[in-house]
Amino acid sequence: MNNSLASNSSRTIAQEVVREITDLLYDYVLCLDDDRLEEWPDFFIEDCIYKIVPRENLRLKADLPIWFCENKNMLRDRVLALRTCSVYNLHYDRHLISNIRVKCQDDGRFYVHSNYAVFQTDLIEGKTILFCTGKYEDEVVFVAGQPKFKVKRVILDTYSVPNLLATPV
Amino acid sequence: MLDNVTWPSTDYSRVPYVVFGDQAIYNREQERIFQGSSWCYLGLEAEIPNPGDFKTSFVGNTSVVVNRSANGAVYAFENRCAHRGSTVVRELSGNRENYTCIYHHWCYDHEGNLIGVPFQRGLKGKGGMPREFDKCEHSLKKLRVETYRGVIFGTFDHDIMPLADYLGPRIRDILDTIFQKPIEVLGYMRQRMPSNWKLYWENATDCYHAGLLHQFGTTFGLFRATQEGGSFLGACPGHSVCYSIFGSDEGSVSEGYEGIEAYNAEMKLNDASLLQYRDEDSDQRGLIIMATFPSVIFQRIANTLATRQIRTKSPNEFELYWTYFGYADDDEELRRMRLTQTNLVGPAGLISMEDGEAGVLIQRAIERERHASSVMEMGGKGPIGDQDHLVSEMSVRGFWKHYCDVMGYVPGSSS
Ligand code: FES
Ligand SMILES: [Fe+2]
C-alpha cells in the first residue's frame, strides 16, 4: 500500500493515538495466542478486509491471497469452521510483533505497518518451529473511541507454508 | 534400506508402508519415474507468453528451467551448469536473452546450448581450453517438451511416446474442459508438506475421504459423498479423474450421512456468498479433480481453477505448488468469485487444509513400520476400473498399479 510510510513516521501523530493503535496490535496477537478465537472478529469493523498474501504473489497484479475475508461475517465463519469442522494440526501459536509505524491519512484512517513472527508449538511432542514471518499492513479506524481494523493485510514472507495454515495470523 | 518391495496383494488393495519412508525407494523413484519415461508437468504457457520469458520448475527433485525462445517455441533444460555444476538460474521467473552462469560465466541459449566460454582461447597465448574442446558436447541437459492446451510437460526420456498418447483421450477431454479458453495466472500457493509425496497422491485420487475428512464441504454443502459422481481412469491407471455434481443430492443427504459425524444439518454460515459459484460446466460437474501421473493434479472445484504440482524433496517431504488461474475473459463478477473462493483451497483452504494434516498423521505413524500394509477395498477388490459413485478407493489402487509397473515391483501373493 503506502510506500511513503517509512519517510513520514509516527512523529506527527499524537502519542496517545500511537499508543492506542500499538495496544490494538498487542491485544490482537494476545487474543490469538490465548486461543480466544471467538473474540478475534471483534478487532475488526463489519465492513473489513482480512487477507493473507504470500509474498511471491506481490509481483503479480492480483496479489492472490491464501485467505480472504471480505467482511466480518466471513471472519465469524472462519471461527465457526475451525471450531466445528476443520481438521488441522494441534498447536499453540506465539506471535511476536515489532517495528510498529503509524501514519495518518486525511480521511481519519491510520495506516500501520508492523513486522510479525509466529512460532508454532505442536501439542504432540512440544516442539517449536518458526512457522512464518512477514509484515502486517493495516488500516485502523476509531469507532466510538475504539481502534479497529478496517483492513488487515498479512504479507507472508514465508510463502511456502509449513504444511497448512489453519488459525489466523 | 530397500529398493525392492514385495507387494502383498495382486490387486493393489494393500500398500506396504515401507514405500513411504525409505531413501533407496525414493532414489529409485527419481530414477525410474521422474528421470524416466514420464511426461512431467512443468508449467503453463500463459506464464511465459513472450520470447525470452522463463520460469524455474521441478521434475521430482531436479530443478529445471522452462522458457520460450525467440522463435516462440518452448524449451526446457536442467538447471545445472555443464561446467562444474552450479545452479544457472536463481530467479523464479523473468526474461532473458541467454543464461550466464554466475560462477565462470559460461553462457547458454534458450535451448540450453553452450554458446560462450570466457577465455576459451586463453589470454595472450596462455591458458584456455584444449583445442579439441567442442561446445556442442557441453550443452545443459535438455528435456523433451510438448504442450497440450497450453499446459507444458517435459521428460528426460527422448524416446517416450507423444504426450497426447501418454495422456489418452479421457485425460485430454478434461484438459479441453479446464483449458477451454485462454487463461490468466492469478498467483501461487505453496505448502511444504512433511510427508511422503505418494500419500498426497493417494489423497488426491481418493474419492472416499472427500465427503468425510472435509467436513466444511459436507456441513455447508459443496462436496458430499451422496452426490452423483464417480471416477474413471486415463490411458494408464496412473491417471484418474474424480467428479461430482454439486447439489444433486437434495433430500438424500440426511439419510446418506445418518450416524456419520461429518454432517450437521443445523449449522449455517453467516455469509453464504463463499458457497455461491457459477456453473461453468456443460455437464454440471461442480468438482473435477484429475491426477496425471506422476506429478500434477488439475482441478476445477466450484470456480477455483488450479494445477497442483508435486515437487519431491526427500522420502518424508515434498512441496505442493499450486498455480491458481482464471480465464482471460472472466467478467468482473466471475473473477471476484474466483478470488473469494481462494478461501476453499490451498494451505488455508476450508476444504483442503485437512489433506496436509492427514498426510502428517500417516507419516508419523508408519515411518518406522517395515511389515504392515494399508487396506483399500472401498468400491471393491479385484479388477481396477471406473466407478459411477463416490464411495470408492479404486483410483488409488490404479495409481499403485501403475507405480509398481514403472518401479518394476511385482505384486506377489499375501504371505
Ligand atoms: S560452474 Fe557454471 S561456469 Fe563454472
Ligand atoms: Fe482432500
Side-chain angles (χ1 to χ4, degrees), chain A residues 87-89 161-165, chain B residues 191-196 199-200 203 209 213-214 318 320 322 346-349 351-364:
Chain A
V87 182
Y88 53 94
N89 56 325
V161 173
N163 204 22
L164 65 95
L165 189 156
Chain B
Q191 293 175 261
R192 190 81 177 196
M193 315 288 250
S195 55
N196 185 274
L199 291 172
Y200 192 76
N203 176 283
H209 89 283
L213 176 66
H214 303 299
F318 69 98
L320 189 65
W322 301 68
I351 55 168
S352 68
M353 68 171 80
E354 289 83 9
D355 294 327
E357 181 62 1
V360 171
L361 291 180
I362 298 172
Q363 192 76 27
R364 199 178 266 155

Side-chain angles (χ1 to χ4, degrees), chain B residues 202-222:
Chain B
E202 284 196 328
N203 176 283
T205 55
D206 171 17
C207 305
Y208 178 38
H209 89 283
L212 294 163
L213 176 66
H214 303 299
Q215 291 186 33
F216 184 90
T218 48
T219 303
F220 300 113
L222 280 168

Side-chain angles (χ1 to χ4, degrees), chain B residues 106 126 131 182 248 284 301 393 400 402:
Chain B
W106 283 27
K126 294 182 183 171
R131 191 155 292 282
S248 57
Q284 284 86 48
I301 301 173
E393 294 170 309
W400 287 112
H402 191 65

Side-chain angles (χ1 to χ4, degrees), chain B residues 129-141:
Chain B
M129 297 296 269
R131 191 155 292 282
E132 66 274 17
F133 179 82
D134 183 358
K135 288 205 285 285
C136 298
E137 287 168 13
H138 299 276
S139 56
L140 297 169
K141 188 173 176 188

